[in-house]
Amino acid sequence: AQTVTQSQPEMSVQEAETVTLSCTYDTSESDYYLFWYKQPPSRQMILVIRQEAYKQQNATENRFSVNFQKAAKSFSLKISDSQLGDAAMYFCAYRSSSYSGGGADGLTFGKGTHLIIQP
Amino acid sequence: DGGITQSPKYLFRKEGQNVTLSCEQNLNHDAMYWYRQDPGQGLRLIYYSQIVNDFQKGDIAEGYSVSREKKESFPLTVTSAQKNPTAFYLCASSYRAEGDTQYFGPGTRLTVL
């Protein structure tokens, strides 16, 4: 079974600064998908970014980018120019690929990192 | 407006009662999922369904049941057999395409009195 570990229960950053959230995972599969979701106080889960394991290029969405290190099984999220609206819980998640014998059997989540933005 | 709706937003249950949480989507997604979130924890998969009239157990299915009679709907019943049902419940859906992204509803907070 796959596991996802987020080692930082809480992070704090000054507004307009850059912060990196860590995520590591354990899997024996070669093909899979990784996601970062944001959960603000409303508790709605919102997709931030996704990465296909077969792609070497790191995914980027505006101020959000990832550092995907497949050999190290690491998937960190970098938030540039932090804004007050970025304050939330951030969850890293793993999804198996059907080509690895997995499929539509859901996401495996880490326990989350609480991001605080200091004005 | 396309999206996923969950109702009710808050639900209170007495011990020994069954309750049903509603999840509806109009995104034309084939797959639907139920997750449970406890304080300080990530989400854990309860049940999922890839097509109508078919569903599979997730990691923590004991004490829960589901049905999938329509593509748009995937209700979750929390039975009296669930020992610790107080939690936040999230429904999600996705296309069945390889690795497709799951999108989430706003959630239901269930409290056992």
Side-chain angles (χ1 to χ4, degrees):
Chain A
Q2 295 79 30
T3 59
V4 176
T5 302
Q6 294 179 248
S7 59
Q8 306 152 316
E10 186 172 280
M11 292 283 286
S12 181
V13 64
Q14 292 285 337
E15 195 175 2
E17 297 295 307
T18 295
V19 64
T20 298
L21 308 183
S22 301
C23 172
T24 58
Y25 56 94
D26 187 24
T27 184
S28 58
E29 298 172 344
S30 59
D31 201 12
Y32 47 87
Y33 303 85
L34 297 165
F35 304 83
W36 278 99
Y37 282 90
K38 167 185 176 181
Q39 187 178 43
S42 67
R43 303 199 74 175
Q44 171 95 46
M45 293 289 283
I46 302 165
L47 177 70
V48 176
I49 201 165
R50 61 173 275 154
Q51 175 80 42
E52 292 86 351
Y54 62 84
K55 290 187 178 178
Q56 292 186 339
Q57 186 172 9
N58 289 324
T60 299
E61 288 287 343
N62 300 314
R63 298 182 295 107
F64 299 87
S65 62
V66 298
N67 183 4
F68 173 49
Q69 302 288 330
K70 190 172 184 180
K73 296 179 183 175
S74 172
F75 183 59
S76 60
L77 175 69
K78 185 173 83 172
I79 305 173
S80 303
D81 185 26
S82 297
Q83 300 176 0
L84 294 177
D86 295 334
M89 286 291 294
Y90 285 81
F91 291 94
C92 179
Y94 174 104
R95 183 173 188 179
S96 295
S97 164
S98 60
Y99 301 121
S100 296
D105 58 349
L107 296 165
T108 300
F109 284 86
K111 292 187 176 182
T113 296
H114 181 210
L115 179 62
I116 298 168
I117 310 296
Q118 304 281 2
Chain B
D1 249 343
I4 304 170
T5 57
Q6 290 186 242
S7 61
K9 186 172 182 179
Y10 299 97
L11 185 58
F12 297 90
R13 189 194 93 171
K14 293 181 180 179
E15 286 198 27
Q17 283 184 336
N18 293 354
V19 290
T20 297
L21 283 60
S22 170
C23 178
E24 304 273 338
Q25 54 95 4
N26 62 3
L27 300 169
N28 200 33
H29 285 166
D30 296 295
M32 297 186 74
Y33 309 81
W34 274 106
Y35 292 89
R36 169 181 171 141
Q37 186 178 26
D38 294 286
Q41 302 292 321
L43 281 64
R44 293 181 292 166
L45 182 67
I46 304 173
Y47 267 99
Y48 66 97
S49 168
Q50 296 191 34
I51 56 173
V52 174
N53 293 323
D54 183 65
F55 47 84
Q56 305 295 329
K57 293 182 179 179
D59 300 321
I60 55 166
E62 185 175 352
Y64 300 97
S65 66
V66 293
S67 62
R68 186 87 187 277
E69 298 176 1
K70 297 187 301 181
K71 185 176 183 178
E72 301 79 15
S73 179
F74 191 41
L76 173 74
T77 297
V78 185
T79 74
S80 57
Q82 170 49 235
K83 299 303 180 188
N84 185 19
T86 294
F88 189 62
Y89 291 86
L90 286 149
C91 177
S93 69
S94 73
Y95 291 112
R96 288 187 66 195
E98 173 64 17
D100 206 60
T101 298
Q102 292 182 21
Y103 296 93
F104 286 82
T108 293
R109 172 69 183 175
L110 172 63
T111 303
V112 173
L113 302 174

